[in-house]
C-alpha cells in the first residue's frame, strides 16, 4: 500500500505541522552526511545549493558541460506566485484551486496547497539573488496573466524567466562550490542507482569525457533530472533531455506515476521536413493578440492572405466563445489536432494552423505589436524566413511537459527510501495537466523549500547507520551491469543509428499515444514499440570508442525511451477516461470534450517494474478531495 | 544542395588535430546548421566512421552549449545568432564551409568541436553571485528597483555563457562574459553590498584562467547572441579601479 | 596602457600647439620657434617632463609587448580559417603594428631633433638662440623625409582613433551619454592632432 505521508491537520496547517515535527541534524553531524543530486536545473541546483548551505556534503551531477545549461533555462513565460500584488483577489487557496482544477483533479490536495503556499517565498528568494524580474515604474514587481486563471500572478523576466531563475540557482550553487560544500561533476551521466538493503546508497556514473565508469556513494540520492518529453523525439525539449536517471531508478524499484500525462504545447513551430530535430516553442503570450484559424475547406492550397474572411474557420473562437484563443493548452492543442486530422491543416506538411496578427495590427498598429512581440517575430523570421507582420505564422502542437514521473510521497521521497525526486522528474503537483508558469514554480519550491526539510528528515535516521563504501558488492555489480550494457551497444554492429530508433519511436508515440489516444492506437503502439525495441538490440550501430562518444550516450537514452514508451501506452490504456492532457477518444462528451470518470479513476497510477520480460504491476493511490469539489472543467 | 565541409577533427586534447574534408548531398535550405551536422554524422555512421563530436542541447539559442567557428566567424556568418539558430539558407549550393572549435587556451579542446568552458564556471564561482542563502530573504517588494535599473540589469543578465565573445576576440579575452555578471549585480541594490570583493575576485579569477586582456575591438558585442553591450566592460573597469582604490 | 596613452595624448596637444608656430611667415616663424625651443631647453620643469615622456613611451611600448605575449599565450592554437576581422575595425585589431610604425618614427624624430638640439653644438640665430628653425626647414626640404612623416602621422591617426576611446573605457567610463561624448571628442582630437602634424611638414616643404 502506498503511503503518501500527508501530515495531519487542516489543509492550510499541514506544511507547518510537517516542518514543526521534522527531525533535525546537528550542524556538527551534517558534514558527515553525503547527498548526491542528479541534475542541475532549477530543482537540482536549488536543492544542491540549499543543502550545501545547511552544511551537508553535496555532489552535483549533470551531463551538460556546465550546470547552467540545464533545460530550465529555456522556459520563457514566467513563474506564478500568490502574492496578490495586483489586489485582484488572489490568495493561496485560489491558486491552489486553480492548479487543482487545471490538473483536472488528478493531483494531491496537500501537495498542491503547499506549492501555492511556498510560491511567495520563491519570489522573495529569487529577488534576493538578483533575478531581474520585470518592474513597474514605481519600482514594484510587475505581473501578467496566464492561461486558465482569472488573476495576474505571473512574475516574469521578459521572455527568459527560466533562464534568469536558473542562473540565480546556478550562482547559488557555484557559491557553495567555492565554499567547498558542493562538488560538481559536469559531463557525467548517471547510469544506475545503487540500492543496498532497500535504501538508495549511491549511483554509477559515466564520465562523458574519459568514458570512465565511476561509483559514488551517499546517504541519500536526489533525482532532479527533468522530464522525458523528448521520448517523442520531436519536442520542445533539449536534445540531451532524457529519462535515463529516473528510468534506471524505476528499474531498481521506484514506481512511476501518471506516465502518459504529457502536455502538448499549442504554439510551437511545425515540423517542416524529415531532417527536423526540434520543435521550437513560441511563447504562449502570442495568443493574447493572435487569432488561430484554418481554412474552412479541407486541402485548401491558397496562400493565407488569399483566403477571404468568410472562408476561414476560427475554430477556438467558435468552440470556446468565452476563452477563445486563450483556452488552456491541452484544449487548444487538441482542437488544432482535430482540424488537422480533418484535412484542414496548412503548411508544407499540412500539419499546422495559422496564428494571425492582422486584426491586432489593424486595431493596435504595427508598432504596438512590435513592442510586445518583436523578439518572437524576429525569431520566427530567423527560423522560417517569413515576415509574420505580413502573413500569419504557422504553429502546431508539440510534446512539451511531462506531468508524470517518479511517484513521490509528501516528502518527495520515492518508493525507495533515501531516493528523492524533484521537479519535473516526479509526478507531483500538476495532475493531468499543468498550468502555464507553474513548472518553474514547482521545480524551485521542491529544491529550495521542500527538500531542505525532507532530505534532512531522512538523513537524521541515517547517522547511526553503517557507512557504506563504494567497495560494497552492490556497487561492484551495478558497475558491472553498466559496463556490460555499454559494451553490448558497441557490439551489436548493426546498420541503424540510435537517432533512427528515436525518431521512429517518436512517430509511433505521436500516433499511438499523443494528443489523443484510443484503445486500438495504444495496443497497436505497444506491439510496434516492442518490435522496434527488439530491432534496436539487433540492428543498432554505434561507431567510435569508449571515450567521448555522443552516439553511445544516445544509445543508452534511446534504450530507456523504448522501455518507457511501452509503459506510457500501458498507463494510457489502463485509464479508461479522459482527463487533462490524457484524451481517450472513446471517452468524450457529445461535443468533443474530455469525459472524466471520477468513480473509477480518481487515483494516481504507480507502476512497479517487475523485470525486463514481465508486465508492470499497477498500484493505485486514491485521491481524496476534501477542500474542493470535483467539477467539470469547462472553458466554453 | 551540395555542401563541402572542412571540419577540425581532433581525438583528444593531447593529440594533434587537422582539418578533414567531407561532402554532403541533399542538404535542404530549411535545415538548421546543426541538423546539417546531424545529417553528416548519420552518413559517417553508415560509413562506419566515428561521428563529429559537437556540443549542442536546447537548439533554441538559450542554453549556450553550442558554438563553433563557421567560416572563420564565431557562430557563423550571422551576427547575434547562436550556431543552433543558423540555418542552411545562409549558404549556397556548392559552398565550402570551414568548421572549427572555439579556440582559446582557457577553452581546451575535448574532442573535435567540443571544448571545455569550465573556466566560465570558475569565474562565477569566484564571486558571480549574491550571498543570499535560502530563507534569509526579505519581502520581494521591500527592495524597490526602478524600471530602468531592472531592464538594464536584465540586459546584462541575458548572457548565455556560450563563449563566442572569447572565440571572436583577438586576445581571447573573457571581459564581456565577466563584466556582464559584474554589471548585473552591481546595478541591483541587493548586489551592491558585495560589489568591491566581487569585482576583484572575478577579475583575478578571469586572469588566473588564462584569458587575454580586452583591447576594446568590440568584436564580442557583434557576435554575442544576446547583444550584450561592450559598455559593461567599461563598467567592470570602473568597478575594478574603484575597488582597487577603496579596498583594504 | 590607458594611463601612459592618455598622458602621451595630452603631450601631443602641447607639442602640436608649439609646432604650429612653424606655420607663421618664415621670418616670424624663425624668431618665434627658436625662442620657444630655447624656452623649453632652459626650463628644468620641461626637462623633467621630457624624461617622464620618454619613460612613458618606453612603458607604453614595454607594456604593449607584455600584453602581446599574454595574448599569444591566451590564444593557444591559431584558427585555420579566420574571418574575425569582419566584425571589428582594422585599426582596433592592429594597434601593435600601428604602434611599431610610430615607435620607429619616434627614433628617427628624436635623433633628428631632440638629439641634435640637446647633444650637439648648433649655429645660433641673431637673438643668440640655437637655430632649431633652420634644422627643421632643412630636414623637411627632402621630400622622402616628408613622406616618412606623413605616413607615420597616418599611423598615429589610426592609433589615436582607437586608443583615445579605448583608454576611456579601460579607465571605466561606462555611461552611454559620456561614452558618446568621448567618441566624438576622440574623433575631433584625432582630426586636430593628425591634421595639424600632417600639415606642418607639407607647409614647410612648400614654403621654403
Amino acid at each position: 500500500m502506498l503511503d503518501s505521508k500527508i501530515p495531519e491537520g487542516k489543509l492550510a496547517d499541514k506544511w507547518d505541522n510537517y516542518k514543526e515535527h521534522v527531525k533535525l541534524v546537528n550542524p556538527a553531524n551534517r558534514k558527515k552526511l553525503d547527498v548526491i543530486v542528479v541534475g542541475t536545473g532549477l530543482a537540482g541546483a536549488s536543492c544542491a545549493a540549499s543543502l550545501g548551505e545547511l552544511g551537508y556534503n553535496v555532489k552535483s551531477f549533470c551531463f551538460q558541460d556546465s550546470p547552467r545549461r540545464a533545460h530550465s533555462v529555456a522556459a520563457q513565460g514566467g513563474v506564478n506566485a500568490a502574492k496578490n500584488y495586483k489586489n485582484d483577489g488572489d490568495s493561496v487557496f485560489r491558486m491552489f484551486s486553480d492548479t487543482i482544477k487545471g490538473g483536472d483533479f488528478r493531483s494531491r490536495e496537500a501537495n498542491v496547497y503547499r506549492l501555492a503556499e511556498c510560491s511567495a517565498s520563491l519570489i522573495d528568494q529569487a529577488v534576493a539573488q538578483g533575478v531581474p524580474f520585470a518592474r513597474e515604474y514605481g519600482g514594484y514587481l510587475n505581473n501578467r496573466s496566464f492561461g486558465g486563471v482569472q488573476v495576474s500572478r505571473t512574475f516574469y523576466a521578459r521572455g527568459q524567466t527560466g533562464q534568469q531563475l536558473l542562473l540565480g540557482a546556478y550562482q547559488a550553487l557555484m557559491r557553495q562550490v567555492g565554499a567547498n560544500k558542493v562538488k560538481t561533476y559536469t559531463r557525467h551521466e548517471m547510469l544506475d542507482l545503487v540500492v543496498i538493503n532497500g535504501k538508495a546508497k549511491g549511483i554509477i556514473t559515466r564520465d562523458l569525457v574519459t568514458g570512465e565508469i565511476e561509483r559514488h556513494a551517499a546517504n541519500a540520492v536526489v533525482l532532479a533530472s527533468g522530464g522525458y518529453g523528448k521520448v517523442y523525439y520531436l519536442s520542445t525539449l533539449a536534445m540531451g533531455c532524457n529519462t535515463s536517471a529516473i528510468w534506471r531508478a524505476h528499474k531498481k524499484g521506484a514506481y512511476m506515476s501518471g506516465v502518459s500525462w504529457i502536455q502538448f504545447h499549442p504554439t510551437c513551430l511545425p515540423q517542416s521536413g524529415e531532417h527536423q530535430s526540434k520543435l521550437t516553442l513560441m511563447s504562449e503570450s502570442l495568443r493574447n493578440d493572435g487569432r488561430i484559424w484554418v481554412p474552412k475547406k479541407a486541402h485548401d492550397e491558397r496562400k493565407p492572405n488569399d483566403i477571404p474572411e468568410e472562408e476561414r474557420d476560427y475554430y477556438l473562437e467558435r468552440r470556446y466563445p468565452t476563452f477563445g484563443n486563450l483556452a488552456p493548452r491541452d484544449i487548444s492543442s487538441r482542437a488544432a489536432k482535430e482540424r488537422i486530422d480533418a484535412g484542414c491543416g496548412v503548411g508544407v506538411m499540412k500539419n499546422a494552423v495559422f496564428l494571425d496578427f492582422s486584426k491586432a495590427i489593424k486595431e493596435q498598429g504595427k508598432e504596438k505589436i512590435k513592442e510586445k512581440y518583436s523578439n518572437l517575430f524576429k525569431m520566427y523570421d530567423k527560423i522560417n524566413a517569413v515576415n509574420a507582420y505580413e502573413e500569419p505564422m504557422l504553429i502546431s502542437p508539440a510534446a512539451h511537459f511531462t506531468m508524470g514521473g517518479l511517484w513521490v510521497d509528501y516528502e518527495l521521497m520515492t518508493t525507495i527510501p533515501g531516493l528523492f525526486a524533484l521537479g519535473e522528474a516526479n509526478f507531483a503537483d500538476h495532475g493531468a495537466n499543468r498550468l502555464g508558469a507553474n513548472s518553474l514554480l514547482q521545480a524551485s519550491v521542491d529544491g529550495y523549500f521542500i527538500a531542505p526539510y525532507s532530505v534532512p528528515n531522512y538523513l537524521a535516521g541515517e547517522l547511526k547507520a553503517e557507512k557504506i563504501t563504494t567497495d560494497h558488492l552492490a556497487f561492484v555489480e551495478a558497475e558491472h551491469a553498466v559496463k556490460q550494457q555499454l559494451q553490448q551497444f558497441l557490439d551489436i554492429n548493426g546498420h541503424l543509428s540510435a537517432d533512427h530508433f528515436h525518431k521512429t519511436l517518436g512517430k509511433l508515440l505521436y500516433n499511438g499515444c499523443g494528443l489523443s489516444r484510443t484503445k486500438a492506437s495504444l495496443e497497436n503502439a505497444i506491439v510496434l514499440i516492442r518490435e522496434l525495441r527488439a530491432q534496436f538490440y539487433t540492428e543498432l550501430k554505434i561507431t567510435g570508442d569508449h571515450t567521448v562518444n555522443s552516439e553511445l550516450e544516445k544509445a543508452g537514452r534511446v534504450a530507456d525511451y523504448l522501455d518507457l514508451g511501452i509503459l506510457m501506452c500501458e498507463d494510457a490504456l489502463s485509464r479508461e477516461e479522459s482527463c487533462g492532457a490524457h484524451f481517450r477518444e472513446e471517452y468524450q462528451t457529445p461535443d468533443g470534450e474530455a469525459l472524466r470518470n471520477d468513480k473509477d479513476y480518481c487515483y494516481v497510477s504507480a507502476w512497479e517494474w517487475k523485470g525486463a520480460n514481465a508486465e508492470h504491476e499497477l498500484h493505485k493511490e486514491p485521491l481524496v478531495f476534501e477542500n474542493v469539489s470535483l467539477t467539470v472543467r469547462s472553458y466554453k | 544542395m551540395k555542401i563541402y565541409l572542412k571540419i577540425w577533427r581532433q581525438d583528444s586534447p593531447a593529440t594533434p588535430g587537422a582539418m578533414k574534408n567531407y561532402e554532403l548531398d541533399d542538404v535542404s535550405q530549411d535545415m538548421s546548421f546543426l541538423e546539417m551536422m546531424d545529417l553528416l554524422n548519420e552518413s559517417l555512421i553508415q560509413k562506419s566512421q566515428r561521428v563529429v563530436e559537437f556540443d549542442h542541447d536546447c537548439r533554441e539559442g538559450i542554453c549556450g552549449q553550442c558554438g563553433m567557428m563557421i567560416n572563420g566567424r564565431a557562430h557563423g556568418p550571422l551576427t547575434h545568432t547562436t550556431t543552433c539558430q543558423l540555418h542552411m539558407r545562409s549558404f549556397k549550393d556548392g559552398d565550402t564551409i570551414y568548421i572549427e572549435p572555439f579556440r582559446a587556451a582557457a577553452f581546451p579542446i575535448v574532442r573535435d568541436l567540443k571544448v571545455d568552458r569550465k573556466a566560465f564556471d570558475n569565474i562565477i564561482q569566484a564571486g558571480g553571485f549574491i550571498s543570499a542563502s535560502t530563507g534569509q530573504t526579505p519581502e520581494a517588494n521591500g527592495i524597490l528597483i526602478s524600471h530602468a535599473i531592472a531592464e538594464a540589469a536584465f540586459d546584462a543578465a541575458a548572457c548565455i555563457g556560450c563563449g563566442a565573445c572569447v572565440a571572436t576576440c583577438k586576445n581571447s579575452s573573457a571581459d564581456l562574459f565577466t563584466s556582464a555578471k559584474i554589471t548585473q549585480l552591481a546595478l541591483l541594490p541587493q548586489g551592491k553590498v558585495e560589489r568591491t570583493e566581487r569585482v576583484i575576485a572575478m577579475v583575478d579569477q578571469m586572469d588566473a584562467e588564462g584569458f587575454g586582456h580586452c583591447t576594446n575591438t568590440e568584436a564580442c558585442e557583434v557576435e554575442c547572441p544576446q547583444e550584450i553591450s561592450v559598455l559593461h566592460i567599461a563598467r567592470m573597469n570602473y568597478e575594478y579601479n574603484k575597488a582597487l582604490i577603496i579596498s583594504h | 596602457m590607458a594611463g601612459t596613452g592618455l598622458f602621451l595624448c595630452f603631450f601631443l596637444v602641447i607639442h602640436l600647439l608649439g609646432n604650429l608656430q612653424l606655420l607663421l611667415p618664415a621670418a616670424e616663424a624663425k624668431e618665434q620657434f627658436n625662442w620657444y625651443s630655447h624656452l623649453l631647453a632652459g626650463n628644468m620643469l620641461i626637462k623633467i617632463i621630457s624624461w617622464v615622456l620618454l619613460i612613458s613611451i618606453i612603458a607604453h611600448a614595454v607594456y604593449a609587448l607584455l600584453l602581446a605575449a599574454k595574448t599569444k599565450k591566451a590564444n593557444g592554437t591559431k584558427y585555420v580559417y579566420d574571418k574575425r576581422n569582419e566584425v571589428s575595425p582594422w585599426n582596433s585589431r592592429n594597434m601593435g603594428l600601428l604602434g611599431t610604425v610610430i615607435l620607429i618614427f619616434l627614433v628617427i624624430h628624436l635623433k633628428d631633433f631632440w638629439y641634435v638640439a640637446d647633444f650637439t653644438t648648433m649655429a645660433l640665430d641673431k637673438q643668440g638662440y640655437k637655430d632649431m628653425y633652420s634644422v627643421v626647414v632643412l630636414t623637411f626640404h627632402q621630400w622622402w623625409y616628408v613622406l616618412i612623416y606623413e605616413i607615420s602621422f597616418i599611423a598615429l591617426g589610426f592609433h589615436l582613433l582607437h586608443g583615445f576611446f579605448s583608454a576611456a573605457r579601460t579607465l571605466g567610463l561606462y555611461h552611454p551619454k559620456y561614452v558618446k561624448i568621448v567618441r566624438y571628442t576622440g574623433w575631433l582630437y584625432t582630426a586636430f592632432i593628425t591634421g595639424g602634424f600632417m600639415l606642418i611638414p607639407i607647409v614647410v616643404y612648400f614654403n621654403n
Side-chain angles (χ1 to χ4, degrees):
Chain A
M1 185 62 192
L2 291 163
D3 179 10
S4 52
K5 292 196 246 163
I6 308 283
E8 291 301 311
K10 285 194 296 194
L11 185 63
D13 300 334
K14 287 182 189 291
W15 180 231
D16 283 338
N17 281 348
Y18 175 81
K19 287 194 286 186
E20 281 158 14
H21 296 101
V22 81
K23 276 180 265 169
L24 299 177
V25 179
N26 183 315
N29 284 332
R30 292 179 197 162
K31 57 177 176 285
K32 297 180 200 156
L33 293 163
D34 302 322
V35 181
I36 283 171
V37 181
V38 180
T40 58
L42 255 180
S46 59
C47 170
S50 302
L51 290 177
E53 287 161 8
L54 287 171
Y56 298 97
N57 283 320
V58 182
K59 286 179 169 183
S60 158
F61 294 82
C62 67
F63 71 82
Q64 297 94 339
D65 77 326
S66 161
R68 65 180 294 153
R69 316 265 186 234
H71 200 54
S72 304
V73 81
Q76 297 173 356
V79 56
N80 288 333
K83 283 278 199 186
N84 195 27
Y85 281 163
K86 291 287 177 189
N87 195 31
D88 56 0
D90 200 6
S91 66
V92 169
F93 187 85
R94 194 173 295 275
M95 182 167 173
F96 152 77
S97 64
D98 282 345
T99 305
I100 284 272
K101 181 191 171 198
D104 219 355
F105 306 95
R106 290 294 175 263
S107 46
R108 254 185 231 140
E109 279 193 338
N111 283 53
V112 175
Y113 193 87
R114 176 176 62 183
L115 179 74
E117 202 179 345
C118 295
S119 64
S121 310
L122 171 68
I123 302 304
D124 299 344
Q125 183 68 36
V127 165
Q129 288 172 344
V131 171
F133 284 125
R135 297 269 171 171
E136 291 169 350
Y137 285 96
Y140 294 99
L141 286 153
N142 205 353
N143 294 110
R144 63 181 167 205
S145 56
F146 240 69
V149 300
Q150 289 167 305
V151 295
S152 281
R153 65 161 74 101
T154 306
F155 294 78
Y156 63 99
R158 283 192 213 155
Q160 294 170 221
T161 318
Q163 181 204 24
Q164 293 309 314
L165 282 173
L166 178 68
L167 290 180
Y170 158 75
Q171 286 162 204
L173 176 71
M174 295 319 283
R175 178 171 156 242
Q176 293 309 308
V177 173
N180 282 325
K181 290 315 299 174
V182 177
K183 186 162 168 34
T184 50
Y185 294 81
T186 58
R187 293 199 199 266
H188 274 68
E189 183 160 24
M190 168 181 159
L191 290 182
D192 209 355
L193 177 77
V194 179
V195 179
I196 297 172
N197 298 330
K199 289 178 172 176
K201 288 292 177 188
I203 58 172
I204 304 293
T205 62
R206 177 166 178 266
D207 181 330
L208 302 181
V209 176
T210 62
E212 204 167 319
I213 307 300
E214 300 168 356
R215 307 173 194 173
H216 298 274
N219 301 86
V221 176
V222 178
L223 300 184
S225 53
Y228 49 82
K230 188 71 190 166
V231 67
Y232 290 90
Y233 189 73
L234 286 175
S235 76
T236 63
L237 279 85
M239 301 305 284
C241 288
N242 63 77
T243 190
S244 291
I246 61 173
W247 190 257
R248 291 176 193 213
H250 171 60
K251 285 164 96 169
K252 285 288 173 86
Y255 294 0
M256 290 281 286
S257 285
V259 198
S260 64
W261 291 342
I262 287 158
Q263 182 169 78
F264 286 77
H265 199 290
T267 53
C268 302
L269 302 183
Q271 187 187 5
S272 66
E274 283 305 311
H275 56 264
Q276 198 137 335
S277 59
K278 152 105 193 173
L279 299 175
T280 304
L281 184 111
M282 300 291 280
S283 171
E284 206 170 355
S285 62
L286 288 170
R287 290 201 279 148
N288 281 304
D289 285 301
R291 296 178 76 201
I292 294 173
W293 63 277
V294 290
K296 275 189 180 154
K297 202 168 67 184
H299 315 294
D300 195 332
E301 294 293 334
R302 286 175 292 177
K303 286 205 170 110
N305 290 342
D306 297 339
I307 301 177
E309 196 62 28
E310 61 276 10
E311 290 177 47
R312 299 177 176 188
D313 177 14
Y314 296 91
Y315 58 86
L316 281 177
E317 297 171 19
R318 171 170 58 81
R319 288 181 63 179
Y320 307 98
T322 314
F323 276 70
N325 294 300
L326 281 172
R329 288 179 182 173
D330 52 342
I331 286 170
S332 308
S333 293
R334 216 146 45 221
K337 179 176 159 51
E338 190 271 329
R339 281 293 86 199
I340 291 167
D341 289 347
C344 296
V346 293
V348 268
M349 296 180 77
K350 301 286 170 220
N351 59 353
V353 298
F354 291 124
L355 179 61
D356 196 331
F357 292 87
S358 57
K359 187 168 177 228
I361 289 172
K362 204 183 275 169
E363 284 172 2
Q364 304 171 36
K366 191 174 162 183
E367 282 315 303
K368 192 79 203 162
I369 297 300
K370 219 177 211 172
E371 191 188 308
K372 288 194 224 177
Y373 311 113
S374 68
N375 59 332
L376 294 166
F377 278 62
K378 225 185 271 175
M379 180 160 99
Y380 189 81
D381 196 7
K382 215 174 244 180
I383 296 173
N384 300 290
V386 169
N387 179 357
Y389 296 104
E390 304 291 329
E391 56 181 288
M393 289 183 181
L394 291 174
I395 54 160
S396 119
H400 179 56
F401 184 90
T402 44
M403 278 72 74
L406 287 176
W407 183 90
V408 288
D409 59 21
Y410 189 73
E411 297 196 283
L412 305 181
M413 187 142 79
T414 66
T415 46
I416 301 174
L419 179 71
F420 295 81
L422 271 54
E424 199 178 340
N426 68 29
F427 86 101
D429 309 342
H430 307 298
N433 174 54
R434 176 177 65 77
L435 287 184
N438 263 356
S439 63
L440 289 177
L441 176 67
Q442 184 233 333
S444 309
V445 165
D446 284 3
Y448 284 118
F449 304 123
I450 301 175
Y453 285 94
S454 68
V455 175
N457 188 40
Y458 170 80
L459 289 174
E462 288 302 293
L463 263 171
K464 296 206 176 77
E466 188 197 352
K467 184 96 180 163
I468 301 284
T469 68
T470 53
D471 298 328
H472 194 283
L473 186 64
F475 274 98
V476 179
E477 283 171 357
E479 181 190 308
H480 180 70
V482 162
K483 283 183 171 163
Q484 213 169 19
Q485 191 199 32
L486 291 168
Q487 195 55 47
Q488 180 193 10
F489 292 146
L490 286 163
D491 289 345
I492 295 170
N493 206 14
H495 60 101
L496 294 168
S497 67
D499 273 351
H500 166 84
F501 289 99
H502 197 168
K503 286 178 182 177
T504 312
L505 172 66
K507 271 184 217 158
L508 292 177
L509 285 172
Y510 260 107
N511 293 332
C513 188
L515 269 160
S516 65
R517 306 98 193 248
T518 63
K519 186 165 189 281
S521 79
L522 290 163
E523 283 172 347
N524 184 37
I526 291 173
V527 172
L528 293 175
I529 297 171
R530 287 222 167 98
E531 282 170 16
L532 186 69
R533 185 170 64 177
Q535 193 192 19
F536 176 83
Y537 286 101
T538 52
E539 296 177 34
L540 174 72
K541 179 167 181 131
I542 303 289
T543 57
D545 53 26
H546 274 287
T547 66
V548 184
N549 191 341
S550 48
E551 290 303 311
L552 193 55
E553 294 165 27
K554 283 182 197 168
R557 294 170 192 163
V558 173
D560 294 333
Y561 275 141
L562 285 163
D563 288 347
L564 172 82
I566 294 170
L567 182 60
M568 279 168 62
C569 295
E570 276 170 0
D571 183 55
L573 203 53
S574 76
R575 189 170 282 276
E576 297 186 330
E577 64 160 352
S578 293
C579 61
H582 169 67
F583 190 77
R584 283 280 300 264
E585 288 175 22
E586 305 94 314
Y587 308 100
Q588 53 179 309
T589 61
D591 52 355
E593 302 303 327
L595 189 63
R596 219 172 56 221
N597 176 353
D598 294 327
K599 191 166 82 57
D600 301 318
Y601 294 97
C602 196
Y603 64 77
V604 169
S605 61
W607 297 91
E608 183 184 357
W609 172 266
K610 289 285 190 184
N613 300 312
E615 296 284 321
H616 273 82
E617 186 181 339
L618 175 62
H619 303 266
K620 296 173 184 174
E621 183 204 335
L623 290 168
V624 183
F625 293 93
E626 295 168 335
N627 298 279
V628 290
S629 52
L630 280 76
T631 53
V632 174
R633 217 171 135 239
S634 171
Y635 296 91
K636 283 205 176 277
Chain B
M1 56 188 185
K2 187 173 177 118
I3 294 289
Y4 300 88
L5 298 162
K6 290 179 184 291
I7 302 179
W8 183 264
R9 302 300 304 264
Q10 181 172 345
D11 257 348
S12 70
T15 52
M19 299 298 274
K20 291 266 162 60
N21 298 332
Y22 302 93
E23 282 175 27
L24 260 189
D25 301 308
D26 304 325
V27 173
S28 144
Q29 297 263 335
D30 291 329
M31 278 181 182
S32 73
F33 193 84
L34 295 183
E35 283 161 1
M36 182 276 292
M37 295 295 289
D38 290 344
L39 192 68
L40 169 71
N41 279 348
E42 188 69 45
S43 76
L44 291 179
I45 293 170
Q46 294 312 322
K47 289 183 223 155
S48 299
Q49 292 172 19
R50 183 170 76 69
V51 299
V52 178
E53 294 293 341
F54 60 95
D55 268 325
H56 64 106
D57 203 23
C58 79
R59 296 203 177 185
E60 55 183 283
I62 193 73
C63 77
Q65 180 132 330
C66 67
M68 310 170 181
M69 289 304 272
I70 300 166
N71 279 346
R73 291 269 304 274
H75 289 312
L78 303 182
T79 58
H80 309 310
T81 305
T82 55
T83 301
C84 64
Q85 296 285 68
L86 177 68
H87 281 70
M88 292 311 290
R89 69 178 75 93
S90 293
F91 302 91
K92 298 190 305 292
D93 184 33
D95 272 2
T96 299
I97 306 176
Y98 290 78
I99 308 173
E100 292 177 71
F102 280 176
R103 294 189 194 277
F107 287 170
I109 289 177
V110 175
R111 182 174 250 189
D112 299 337
L113 305 171
K114 275 188 180 183
V115 297
D116 182 359
R117 285 165 290 194
K118 193 165 184 8
F120 273 7
D121 287 338
N122 294 342
I123 293 172
I124 298 296
Q125 187 191 314
F129 47 76
I130 291 172
S131 301
S133 294
T134 305
Q136 51 179 220
T137 53
E139 152 63 32
N141 260 347
I143 309 168
L144 292 185
I145 301 171
S146 77
H147 181 263
I149 293 290
E151 293 297 303
F154 181 93
D155 286 338
C159 167
I160 60 172
C162 65
C165 49
V166 174
T168 196
C169 177
K170 69 182 270 286
N171 310 311
S172 303
S173 162
D175 272 33
L176 192 68
F177 169 81
T178 309
S179 67
K181 190 48 67 187
I182 286 171
T183 300
Q184 179 208 342
L185 300 180
L187 276 169
L188 298 169
Q190 310 91 297
K192 283 198 191 324
V193 182
E194 300 166 90
R195 69 199 290 189
T196 307
E197 297 79 13
R198 176 186 304 120
V199 68
I200 291 185
M202 287 180 76
V203 170
D204 288 353
Q205 188 63 40
M206 179 174 80
D207 283 339
E209 295 295 334
F211 290 107
H213 61 288
C214 172
T215 57
N216 299 303
T217 69
E218 303 188 344
C220 50
E221 182 180 314
V222 178
E223 299 294 26
C224 174
Q226 293 288 333
E227 306 183 35
I228 305 282
S229 164
V230 288
L231 293 185
H232 297 318
I233 298 175
R235 172 98 196 201
M236 174 176 77
N237 291 335
Y238 165 79
E239 295 285 335
Y240 187 73
N241 294 340
K242 194 170 121 190
L244 283 187
I245 295 166
I246 65 168
S247 73
H248 309 293
Chain C
M1 288 311 269
T4 51
L6 284 182
F7 178 68
L8 294 171
C9 280
F10 175 70
F11 160 75
L12 283 178
V13 178
I14 307 295
H15 191 24
L16 178 62
L17 286 178
N19 286 12
L20 284 180
Q21 298 170 93
L22 291 167
L23 298 178
L24 293 167
E28 214 174 316
K30 183 170 179 169
E31 199 172 305
Q32 275 278 335
F33 192 72
N34 285 347
W35 167 80
Y36 172 69
S37 305
H38 178 76
L39 184 80
L40 294 188
N43 191 319
M44 196 55 206
L45 188 69
I46 299 292
K47 268 260 176 331
I48 294 169
I49 289 177
S50 71
W51 282 105
V52 173
L53 254 180
L54 192 68
I55 292 166
S56 290
I57 292 167
I58 292 168
H60 199 73
V62 169
Y63 199 57
L65 284 176
L66 290 176
L67 287 183
K70 187 178 168 191
T71 291
K72 195 166 169 9
K73 199 165 150 224
N75 281 347
T77 318
K78 277 203 171 95
Y79 286 107
V80 176
Y81 188 85
D82 193 348
K83 286 280 173 199
R84 292 180 296 168
N85 54 2
E86 288 173 358
V87 292
S88 55
W90 176 85
N91 61 325
S92 75
R93 309 182 69 85
N94 290 285
M95 290 294 276
L97 177 70
L98 294 167
T100 310
V101 172
I102 296 165
L103 193 66
I104 293 167
F105 161 77
L106 277 179
V107 172
I108 300 170
H109 180 61
L110 291 179
K111 176 195 144 292
D112 287 344
F113 296 105
W114 181 59
Y115 175 78
V116 169
D118 273 23
F119 300 104
T120 60
T121 44
M122 285 175 61
L124 302 181
D125 69 1
K126 58 185 183 222
Q127 304 168 86
Y129 301 141
K130 285 183 179 174
D131 191 3
M132 272 311 286
Y133 181 76
S134 300
V135 177
V136 172
V137 169
L138 219 63
T139 315
F140 287 142
H141 205 59
Q142 306 149 85
W143 67 266
W144 55 269
Y145 206 88
V146 173
L147 192 69
I148 289 175
Y149 266 58
E150 295 301 317
I151 290 170
S152 304
F153 289 146
I154 290 169
L156 177 70
F158 279 110
H159 197 82
L160 290 178
L161 199 58
H162 180 72
F164 190 84
F165 97 92
S166 178
R169 291 277 175 82
T170 305
L171 292 179
L173 201 96
Y174 65 84
H175 196 289
K177 200 157 75 186
Y178 302 111
V179 161
K180 215 174 251 174
I181 293 172
V182 167
R183 274 277 190 193
Y184 292 135
T185 313
W187 271 98
L188 285 174
Y189 170 82
T190 305
F192 169 66
I193 295 289
T194 318
F197 277 123
M198 284 179 78
L199 194 64
I200 294 167
I202 294 172
V203 169
V204 173
Y205 179 77
F206 284 109
N207 269 0
N208 297 277

